[in-house]
Amino acid sequence: MGHDLNLNAMNYFEAVARLGGVSKAAEELGVSASAVSQQIRQLEQQFGVRLFRREKRRLILTLDGERLFQTTTQAFRMMRDVRSAIVRQRENRHFIMRVSPSFGVRWLAPRLKGFLDANPGWDLRVDGAPDFSDFETEIVDLDLRYGAGDWSGLHQEAVVHDFVLPMCSPSYLAELKEQSGDPIGQLLKARLIDSVKTHFRWDFWLARHGAMGGRMVYPLRFDRSNMAIQVAADGAGVVLESATLAINELERGDLVPLSRAFAVIKVPTYWLVCPSRHTNRRIVRLFSEWMRKEGSAHDDKTADMLRSLGCTIQEEESTILNRDIDDARQ
């Protein structure tokens, strides 16, 4: 009998039993009531038992009908679920990207809703990881990567700048000013907070400003900008970081520039990076366009905020900065 099972008739039976009537089943299935009734009769003939009995114009499952219904409704529910999953899988659009961790938390995450609202229907996966993607062995559409833009053989486009300056809490700055009225003197007495994975660090900055003084070891060192900025805002010392990541603290007044005497260094540091072939993907184009607009708007906002605090901004190319960093470290 297993080879003679009529799945169409079983489907009709399950609908009638689940909905409690031939008319409702016919409406759901998009067929006539007579077609449903005919399939039920054929199924009863095939099994040699009655599957329904009529009581007061209602169809009631018999014991055999109940047994069959428990099996068929579970089977058809599973098939419907699988079908829905397959359809969703086919219709879903996936975007996988990797981002530098602190930038992902402080800059990208608060803006992602805007991108998703403008581009509904995409499944988005974001990995916050310090390691650069190996596009040949990993499934990644795009990297939003911190660096100097020197990734050979890959498409790369700068979309967000760093605005680097020494910052500390207002209370810590007041302590330093009590010890010295000279910004360089204040630095020599300050507890320096080192972000060890930033594009350039204190050794470069101090050398550029003639303030080395033999200080090459820093008492507080963090491998995440997020932590370094927070510790500085808590009054633990002076951090050399980017206003791009610390803009909220600067706007609230939790951090302030150490001195207006030090120009803010503006340099391209956040890049869209991927193999050139990925730029043909629609989601990569959409995200890249969105990043250009968001990055430009953020750069303008950050520059305006820093100027309102009395800072001057010195714009540099990452290649020039790299050369100066190498010179400082020799």
Side-chain angles (χ1 to χ4, degrees), residues 172 176 179-180 183-192 215:
Y172 193 75
L176 294 176
Q179 300 179 60
S180 174
I184 296 295
Q186 293 166 5
L187 272 176
L188 294 176
K189 295 179 180 297
R191 181 190 296 118
L192 301 185
R215 296 190 60 167

Side-chain angles (χ1 to χ4, degrees), residues 40-56:
I40 298 300
R41 285 195 298 270
Q42 290 179 0
L43 196 60
E44 289 179 329
Q45 291 172 2
Q46 182 180 19
F47 281 98
V49 297
R50 294 289 301 276
L51 300 175
F52 295 97
R53 68 176 185 273
R54 186 175 293 276
E55 290 185 3
K56 297 180 181 180

Side-chain angles (χ1 to χ4, degrees), residues 153-325:
L154 293 170
H155 168 81
Q156 49 201 291
E157 176 186 359
V159 287
V160 181
H161 288 72
D162 263 346
F163 293 79
V164 181
L165 71 161
M167 298 173 280
C168 61
S169 70
S171 60
Y172 193 75
L173 180 57
E175 292 178 21
L176 294 176
K177 287 183 176 180
E178 289 179 358
Q179 300 179 60
S180 174
D182 174 52
I184 296 295
Q186 293 166 5
L187 272 176
L188 294 176
K189 295 179 180 297
R191 181 190 296 118
L192 301 185
I193 302 169
D194 190 20
S195 287
V196 300
K197 291 188 177 179
T198 54
H199 191 47
F200 58 89
R201 295 162 59 189
W202 275 115
D203 53 355
F204 156 72
W205 194 94
L206 291 170
R208 174 178 272 202
H209 289 83
M212 290 299 292
R215 296 190 60 167
M216 294 297 292
V217 178
Y218 311 105
L220 295 176
R221 305 175 73 231
F222 297 93
D223 72 343
R224 293 289 184 273
S225 294
N226 199 28
M227 292 187 288
I229 291 168
Q230 183 60 56
V231 170
D234 290 339
V238 180
V239 68
L240 182 68
E241 262 293 351
S242 175
T244 293
L245 299 182
I247 189 170
N248 291 334
E249 285 80 2
L250 286 165
E251 288 179 332
R252 291 194 302 262
D254 297 337
L255 286 175
V256 294
L258 178 70
S259 173
R260 297 175 183 176
F262 303 130
V264 176
I265 301 173
K266 178 184 178 183
V267 61
T269 47
Y270 294 97
W271 305 72
L272 297 174
V273 183
C274 65
S276 296
R277 63 183 182 275
H278 288 198
T279 60
N280 295 322
R281 298 177 183 177
R282 182 167 180 261
I283 185 58
V284 172
R285 295 198 305 272
L286 290 172
F287 187 80
S288 298
E289 291 170 3
W290 177 79
M291 274 298 307
R292 292 184 196 106
K293 294 177 182 177
E294 289 292 321
S296 177
H298 173 80
D299 284 354
D300 291 343
K301 176 183 177 181
T302 304
D304 289 343
M305 183 268 296
L306 289 170
R307 291 189 183 101
S308 74
L309 295 175
C311 298
T312 58
I313 298 173
Q314 180 177 330
E315 190 162 354
E316 302 192 16
E317 297 292 333
S318 58
T319 53
I320 296 175
L321 189 60
N322 281 341
R323 183 192 63 200
D324 289 349
I325 291 172

Side-chain angles (χ1 to χ4, degrees), residues 1 30 38 46 48 53 57 64-65 95 111 122 124 138 144 155 170 178-179 186 201 210 221:
M1 184 178 68
Q38 181 180 2
Q46 182 180 19
R53 68 176 185 273
R57 304 181 66 181
D64 290 323
F95 179 40
R111 292 171 170 79
W122 288 94
L124 177 63
E138 298 179 279
L144 181 48
H155 168 81
E178 289 179 358
Q179 300 179 60
Q186 293 166 5
R201 295 162 59 189
R221 305 175 73 231

